[in-house]
Amino acid sequence: MSDSVRTEFGDGIAVITIDRPEARNAVDKSVAEGIAAAIDEFESRSDLVIGILTGAGGTFCAGMDLKAFTRGERPALPGRGFGGLTEQPPQKPLIAAVEGWALAGGCELALSADLVVASREAKFGLPEVKRGLVAAAGGLLRLPKALPYQLAMEIALTGDPLTAEKAHAHGLINTLTEPGGALDGAKELAARVAANGPLAVRATKQIVSGAVRWTDAEAFAAQADLVGPVFASADAQEGARAFAEKRAPVWRGE
């Protein structure tokens, strides 16, 4: 694991923290490799249901580390994209817990998540056009799916930041917290998800995320492939028994 990425696992939740506060958590090759390794462990462990991606020191992520870039480093991994995440998000759900800036590639990391919890003082931005560049790590692809078309276009074309309050009003953010409370808010949301059947949560995330790209003809067949193993699982039987017996289910993830 990279020294610039910390992980914490427990109670069904994986917390992945970009830990370069001196560089506003800018992403270099080491960070990209650290995030990818953390995601791999999160995906492989049956005891982990949901993940949280956050940044240390009051900033989510300032994007690409330009100093590292000038040294020839590339903060993207083949097949996985910027930060080891944007082109291959996990199959399990992921929350972005945002304090301060989620800027450029940092905004694209946040947009790669399924849920967003942010401080009221957080700001999101894709300022690449101000530098004659293009936000090519998925931000321009995901933003119009998360926001009204005209607002997404304004943010993309002007490069101006979006406040957390406005992002929340338009549905980009699930929960607003007071400054310093984004990670705790994300953990609270994650705990509500982690209480559910892990196989069902994973399949549900895949169906909801796939629905925006499947055609009507593809959708039910793709859903059936994901749902079949869940209905045949021991957890499905346990959920039904627990309901009948009026007790909390004990999930096995199988």
Side-chain angles (χ1 to χ4, degrees), residues 69 117 189:
F69 180 76
V117 176
L189 178 56

Side-chain angles (χ1 to χ4, degrees), residues 8-48:
E8 174 189 345
F9 304 120
D11 298 322
I13 303 168
V15 179
I16 302 167
T17 304
I18 306 172
D19 192 13
R20 298 187 72 212
E22 74 287 351
R24 295 196 301 163
N25 299 320
V27 177
D28 59 8
K29 183 179 179 183
S30 177
V31 170
E33 291 173 343
I35 292 174
I39 292 292
D40 284 345
E41 183 171 2
F42 165 50
E43 291 274 68
S44 68
R45 288 179 50 166
S46 61
D47 61 317
L48 299 174

Side-chain angles (χ1 to χ4, degrees), residues 44-224:
S44 68
R45 288 179 50 166
S46 61
D47 61 317
L48 299 174
V49 181
I50 185 168
I52 298 170
L53 179 66
T54 193
T59 297
F60 181 73
C61 176
M64 179 174 65
D65 186 326
L66 296 179
K67 292 180 180 179
F69 180 76
T70 61
R71 296 194 300 266
E73 286 191 28
R74 296 296 180 266
L77 301 182
R80 305 187 74 143
F82 178 80
L85 175 65
T86 58
E87 291 180 25
Q88 189 179 325
Q91 293 186 343
K92 297 176 183 179
L94 181 67
I95 302 173
V98 180
E99 297 280 353
W101 282 96
L103 192 65
C107 183
E108 292 176 300
L109 289 176
L111 289 169
S112 299
D114 305 290
L115 303 161
V116 180
V117 176
S119 156
R120 294 183 183 278
E121 295 183 352
K123 292 183 180 180
F124 301 76
L126 295 174
E128 281 83 351
V129 291
K130 292 180 180 289
R131 303 291 179 264
L133 302 172
V134 176
L140 300 182
L141 302 175
R142 292 187 169 107
L143 200 64
K145 297 176 183 177
L147 293 173
Y149 175 85
Q150 285 79 7
L151 179 57
M153 191 64 82
E154 178 183 341
I155 293 164
L157 293 179
T158 65
D160 292 341
L162 176 68
T163 66
E165 297 277 1
K166 192 168 185 179
H168 181 254
H170 288 283
L172 177 63
I173 294 172
N174 296 84
T175 305
L176 282 177
T177 73
E178 295 307 313
L183 181 55
D184 285 342
K187 288 180 177 179
E188 291 175 9
L189 178 56
R192 289 161 52 199
V193 175
N196 298 319
L199 297 180
V201 166
R202 182 171 182 155
T204 297
K205 180 256 169 89
Q206 291 177 265
I207 292 168
V208 174
S209 62
V212 297
R213 64 179 185 273
W214 293 330
T215 66
D216 289 345
E218 295 169 336
F220 277 94
Q223 177 178 262

Side-chain angles (χ1 to χ4, degrees), residues 233-250:
S233 69
D235 275 358
Q237 293 294 318
E238 167 63 8
R241 281 195 300 270
F243 177 78
E245 296 168 7
K246 298 181 180 179
R247 60 173 175 81
V250 178

